[in-house]
Amino acid sequence: MSAEVIKIKPTSGWKVIDVGELWQYRDLLYFLTIRGIKAKYAQSVLGVGWAIIQPLVQTLVFTVIFGNLAKIGSDGIPYLLFSFVAMVPWNYFSSILTESTDSLVKNRKMLSKVYFPRMVLPVSSVFSKLLDFFIAFIVLIGLLVYYKFIPTTNIVYFPMLLLILVLTSLGIGMIFSAMAVQYRDVKYAMSFLVRLLIYSAPVVYSISIIPAEYVYFYALNPMVGVIEGMRAAFLGTKAMPWDLIGIGGAVSVVLFLFGAFYFRRMEKAFADIA
């Protein structure tokens, strides 16, 4: 009985995502996901409680500064609920972006020792951050009950909004993770950039303050459609913003495809320069 011989050749040019190979390494994806969750809460007294405390405290600070002191409008919705509905997807987006950007550098020893699809590393960040997302989502349900808001039937579009979020964050994350292997500045710049990006989406303010002639340009940020879609689905104070979601969805697909192709093009050099 002869052993199967597997030949591994470096990729060249622009390659598509090898979904079949990713599926073959699903056990590694599972292991990296579990390791990511355990690493975050290892030796932590509060454990997953931080997934509740962080977004709540952040939202309370925004409520005091922007809602009470700056008197920024919230479309007639209690400001705490208004901003928390946006914080849930925003925190998931920013955590995927940060984690995926750092995924190759953090696992550089693995890159030089064994072969596996490198894309498994940034993809694992999508799953390892799901726990925080669902915990924050449960808190959101509690706030909806407290303020007596009933989600509309548009909640059926929630998976689509989540898909746009994941495509955007993973697409950008793959680009920056490939760049971070060679330029460590990317890692440090990312944490700073994420803090600034929160003001590029309607997290702490209403989209109504954006001049009408700039709204579609503003919607090129896919998180604009995601956040406004979340507010329409869960708060029901406005119609589903299909124009914003459509623009954001198209941009998210472009970002994901470009990120994936760029990642595949650069991955042959990861082990040498990581």
Side-chain angles (χ1 to χ4, degrees):
M1 180 177 178
S2 60
E4 182 182 3
V5 177
I6 300 176
K7 294 182 178 179
I8 302 172
K9 298 179 180 179
T11 58
S12 61
W14 297 90
K15 299 292 183 182
V16 296
I17 303 172
D18 192 339
V19 178
E21 189 182 40
L22 284 176
W23 177 249
Q24 288 176 7
Y25 284 83
R26 59 189 180 279
D27 291 340
L28 177 62
L29 179 61
Y30 173 78
F31 166 76
L32 291 172
T33 300
I34 298 299
R35 191 188 69 170
I37 295 172
K38 289 182 176 178
K40 180 174 181 179
Y41 297 112
Q43 297 181 324
S44 169
V45 176
L46 296 179
V48 294
W50 285 110
I52 300 174
I53 295 172
Q54 287 179 338
L56 264 183
V57 171
Q58 198 172 8
T59 305
L60 285 171
V61 171
F62 286 155
T63 301
V64 172
I65 296 176
F66 297 106
N68 297 343
L69 299 179
K71 303 294 184 185
I72 290 181
S74 56
D75 299 335
I77 302 164
Y79 191 89
L80 180 67
L81 181 60
F82 173 82
S83 57
F84 196 81
V85 169
M87 285 301 299
V88 173
W90 179 261
N91 279 346
Y92 187 42
F93 166 79
S94 61
S95 59
I96 293 175
L97 187 57
T98 306
E99 186 74 12
S100 59
T101 297
D102 193 34
S103 60
L104 294 177
V105 175
K106 193 165 62 177
N107 295 283
R108 57 186 177 278
K109 291 183 179 178
M110 285 179 62
L111 296 176
S112 59
K113 291 180 179 177
V114 294
Y115 173 78
F116 61 93
R118 301 335 194 190
M119 199 170 285
V120 167
L121 292 172
V123 171
S124 68
S125 64
V126 174
F127 297 102
S128 65
K129 298 303 176 185
L130 263 180
L131 177 62
D132 290 357
F133 174 76
F134 281 121
I135 291 174
F137 192 77
I138 291 171
V139 176
L140 171 61
I141 293 174
L143 288 176
L144 289 172
V145 172
Y146 178 78
Y147 286 107
K148 300 178 181 176
F149 275 81
I150 300 175
T152 69
T153 54
N154 287 325
I155 198 171
V156 297
Y157 301 115
F158 175 63
M160 178 189 64
L161 299 175
L162 196 59
L163 178 62
I164 295 174
L165 184 158
V166 170
L167 290 178
T168 304
S169 54
L170 192 55
I172 300 174
M174 286 190 290
I175 296 171
F176 283 121
S177 64
M179 295 174 64
V181 172
Q182 188 167 7
Y183 307 105
R184 296 294 194 268
D185 310 69
V186 175
K187 172 186 173 183
Y188 303 112
M190 181 52 64
S191 59
F192 172 69
L193 185 63
V194 165
R195 292 192 188 96
L196 294 179
L197 280 177
I198 194 172
Y199 300 106
S200 70
V203 177
V204 298
Y205 55 83
S206 170
I207 195 173
S208 60
I209 68 172
I210 304 296
E213 61 268 31
Y214 298 125
V215 166
Y216 289 141
F217 177 76
Y218 181 61
L220 289 174
N221 177 355
M223 288 305 294
V224 172
V226 171
I227 290 172
E228 287 302 302
M230 286 279 289
R231 284 179 175 144
F234 287 92
L235 304 179
T237 55
K238 59 177 69 173
M240 205 68 174
W242 290 115
D243 48 353
L244 305 181
I245 294 172
I247 295 172
V251 173
S252 71
V253 171
V254 172
L255 283 172
F256 177 76
L257 291 177
F258 179 78
F261 278 110
Y262 179 74
F263 188 93
R264 292 277 287 160
R265 181 178 176 82
M266 302 300 292
E267 68 178 349
K268 61 183 177 184
F270 289 163
D272 297 326
I273 59 180

